[in-house]
Amino acid sequence: MPTTAAPDVLEGLEHFRRLVALQQPTWPDAAALADATTHLASSSPLVVPAEADLLRDRLAAAGRGEAFLLQGGDCAETFAEANADRIRNKVRTILQMAVILTHGASTPVVKMGRMAGQYAKPRSSDTETRDGVTLPAYRGDMVNGHEFTPAHRVPDPQRLVQAYDISAATLNVVRAFTRGGYADLRRVHEWNQGFMQNPAYARYERTATEIDRAIRFMDACGADFDALRTVEFFVSHEALVLEYERALTRVDSRTGAAYDTSGHFVWIGERTRQIDGAHVDFLSRVANPIGVKLGPTTAPADAVALVEKLNPDAVPGRLTFITRMGAGRIREALPPLVEAVTATGVPVTWITDAMHGNTITSTSGYKTRRFEDVLDEVRGFFEVHRALGTVPGGLHCELTGDDVTEVLGGSEEIDDAGLALRYETLVDPRLNHQQSLEMAFQVAEMLRR
Ligand code: PEP
Ligand code: MN
């Protein structure tokens, strides 16, 4: 990234305040907000620039087809569920999926959680009305409480500090799980074998057997190297609440460049990607690898403008487009975007969020998605990129490591009535542990060529 003198960088980091920032909380107390952000500004970074730089290189490889990104985690993390068991289950699910995908892709899989900061949500309405009572909408644990009472729903700046503290604790657990023997490839493989014992998954037998043979072959050869025992694991979240992101942004003394140290990778959501908006301006000024969600109404010119503003130096791995078109639209909506962006000559890593374009309301009233629709969008994503000669670089999923019932379908068929059993998400429906692994098997088949 280019380096600029620190005073200019610092001034630039404040520019977003003069622009329209959508989806921001209305904080009731400016002094309390200042206290919170001052505290964050003097707190330790959650990630360091060198890690973000490494991830940029990894994402550049994904953009070239030399790696594949797996990004997954909750729609919205919650403070209440940031315990070691839940975190471990999520990390384990991602590691299990990664083994399956690595085999399918025959390239490294870059592992990234929607974790340790995914605490803020854009909402379609500022308010929510229940039984004639109207309160501010829930905007994520970083902003307010989910419980429907006036006291919980008022945005509380101390929650920014809590989000930071809990993210730090989460990251600590993530680092411990992925550095120690827990992430050992052979152990992850054993978990996958446990999954395969369920006859529901017999259709994945061939892939599972091939992976098993590959691992036994390595063992027989005595292969034993660090890469088998530990994994690189990155964290990411939507950079939505700009007060939080700004307070955690630091100028790197090595280079003079600014890094948002709240996560390795941060993205701009579909609702806040206006080219003249505060989010695009702010993230244009940090050196992290960043993403932008692109929905089905994105004009090719909008995508090109984002490329020019967010990656003016054409740095590989700097910009990832996360497309979320919907299964019914991806085959028509994606090609013009990919063609226009490719024509700029600027490298972009394309990944598919096959979740957000496929949200429906079930007959029983739950916000849900059909497993089949999610898979079909991924299939469409591969078809489009292969037809255009561009690279399908990764997969973005809302998932959990637990046994929830939020997404319809899968081989252990969750039907409409089944949603009620363990529907736990506060915002969007997540693939459960089994559905996530099944997704990995299906995508692994698409990756084989
Ligand atoms: C999300 O990732 O949870 C989200 C809100 O996505 P999008 O910005 O694509 O709607
Ligand atoms: Mn979501």
Side-chain angles (χ1 to χ4, degrees):
M1 300 301 288
T3 62
T4 326
D8 298 349
V9 174
L10 287 173
E11 206 179 289
L13 291 173
E14 300 303 320
H15 185 67
F16 78 90
R17 298 186 193 280
R18 287 187 248 150
L19 306 175
V20 176
L22 296 183
Q23 298 284 343
Q24 301 306 287
T26 309
W27 303 104
D29 178 350
L33 176 63
D35 280 353
T37 55
T38 304
H39 175 80
L40 290 178
S42 62
S43 300
S44 302
L46 294 176
V47 306
V48 297
E51 295 173 305
D53 290 348
L54 176 66
L55 175 59
R56 194 192 313 117
D57 292 345
R58 301 288 184 254
L59 292 173
R64 291 190 298 266
E66 295 161 15
F68 189 77
L69 172 66
L70 172 61
Q71 183 180 18
D74 300 293
C75 178
E77 290 179 285
T78 62
F79 294 167
E81 290 191 348
N83 58 60
D85 284 349
R86 296 265 189 174
I87 296 165
R88 188 196 53 218
N89 290 349
K90 239 176 294 180
V91 169
R92 186 174 69 180
T93 302
I94 293 170
L95 296 179
Q96 287 185 258
M97 292 173 77
V99 169
I100 300 161
L101 292 170
T102 304
H103 184 263
S106 296
T107 66
V109 169
V110 183
K111 300 160 230 18
M112 195 196 291
R114 280 176 67 115
M115 286 171 83
Q118 181 54 22
Y119 286 112
K121 299 309 299 174
R123 301 316 305 260
S124 48
S125 168
D126 284 341
T127 58
E128 184 182 344
T129 301
R130 287 191 206 172
D131 304 325
V133 179
T134 299
L135 293 176
Y138 171 62
R139 290 190 168 276
D141 277 10
M142 180 186 287
V143 174
N144 56 1
H146 185 260
E147 216 174 302
F148 195 73
T149 70
H152 283 91
R153 289 293 174 94
V154 175
D156 175 3
Q158 266 312 304
R159 284 179 169 271
L160 297 173
V161 175
Q162 238 182 318
Y164 165 84
D165 289 342
I166 296 175
S167 295
T170 300
L171 202 46
N172 198 35
V173 171
V174 168
R175 291 192 198 276
F177 281 141
T178 52
R179 299 274 156 86
Y182 191 78
D184 191 296
L185 175 66
R186 290 150 289 198
R187 181 154 177 185
V188 176
H189 174 60
E190 274 171 33
W191 295 327
N192 279 355
Q193 286 180 309
F195 166 82
M196 283 305 299
Q197 269 155 24
N198 184 335
Y201 304 113
R203 58 198 286 207
Y204 307 120
E205 194 65 53
R206 192 175 71 104
T207 306
T209 304
E210 281 180 15
I211 297 175
D212 188 48
R213 289 183 67 83
I215 289 182
R216 281 194 286 151
F217 173 72
M218 279 195 310
D219 264 347
C221 297
D224 191 24
F225 37 88
D226 268 356
L228 292 180
R229 283 186 295 272
T230 67
V231 295
E232 286 173 6
F233 195 100
F234 300 96
V235 296
S236 65
H237 62 270
E238 178 174 352
L240 184 67
V241 176
L242 291 172
E243 292 288 1
Y244 181 79
E245 305 304 333
R246 171 63 191 96
L248 288 171
T249 296
R250 309 273 184 272
V251 175
D252 181 12
S253 57
R254 297 175 313 166
T255 61
Y259 285 77
D260 185 345
T261 67
S262 68
H264 300 108
F265 176 95
V266 282
W267 77 85
I268 302 172
E270 166 73 354
R271 294 182 179 81
T272 50
R273 60 171 170 75
Q274 299 73 26
I275 191 73
D276 297 323
H279 292 82
V280 169
D281 183 81
F282 185 72
L283 288 198
S284 76
R285 298 171 190 274
V286 301
N288 304 57
I290 61 171
V292 184
K293 294 278 199 95
L294 299 180
T297 58
T298 312
D302 294 345
V304 168
L306 286 165
V307 168
E308 286 166 354
K309 172 124 188 164
L310 295 173
N311 197 7
D313 300 318
V315 178
R318 152 71 174 170
L319 180 61
T320 295
F321 276 146
I322 310 166
T323 61
R324 27 92 82 227
M325 300 291 170
R329 300 180 73 173
I330 185 161
R331 291 167 179 85
E332 288 73 43
L334 184 56
L337 298 186
V338 176
E339 282 171 328
V341 169
T342 304
T344 66
V346 176
V348 161
T349 301
W350 294 95
I351 70 170
T352 176
D353 163 359
M355 315 296 295
H356 288 88
N358 297 305
T359 311
I360 54 168
T361 303
S362 74
T363 321
S364 49
Y366 286 98
K367 189 177 186 185
T368 186
R369 294 161 177 151
R370 289 190 201 90
F371 188 70
E372 261 318 310
D373 293 344
V374 171
L375 272 181
D376 190 44
E377 176 151 2
V378 181
R379 226 174 275 125
F381 173 75
F382 277 94
E383 284 168 25
V384 167
H385 282 288
R386 288 194 171 142
L388 295 175
T390 47
V391 176
L395 182 64
H396 178 113
C397 292
E398 285 186 343
L399 58 81
T400 169
D402 301 310
D403 193 16
V404 301
T405 56
E406 299 171 3
V407 170
L408 295 166
S411 291
E412 288 179 63
E413 181 74 29
I414 294 174
D415 60 13
D416 212 318
L419 290 175
L421 290 176
R422 282 176 308 282
Y423 191 96
E424 297 176 6
T425 184
L426 297 189
V427 189
D428 287 341
R430 303 159 294 179
L431 299 171
N432 65 23
H433 175 71
Q434 290 87 343
Q435 288 169 328
S436 301
L437 294 186
E438 201 169 353
M439 171 98 169
F441 274 110
Q442 297 256 358
V443 176
E445 282 169 21
M446 298 175 208
L447 278 163
R448 301 167 77 113
R449 338 189 25 161

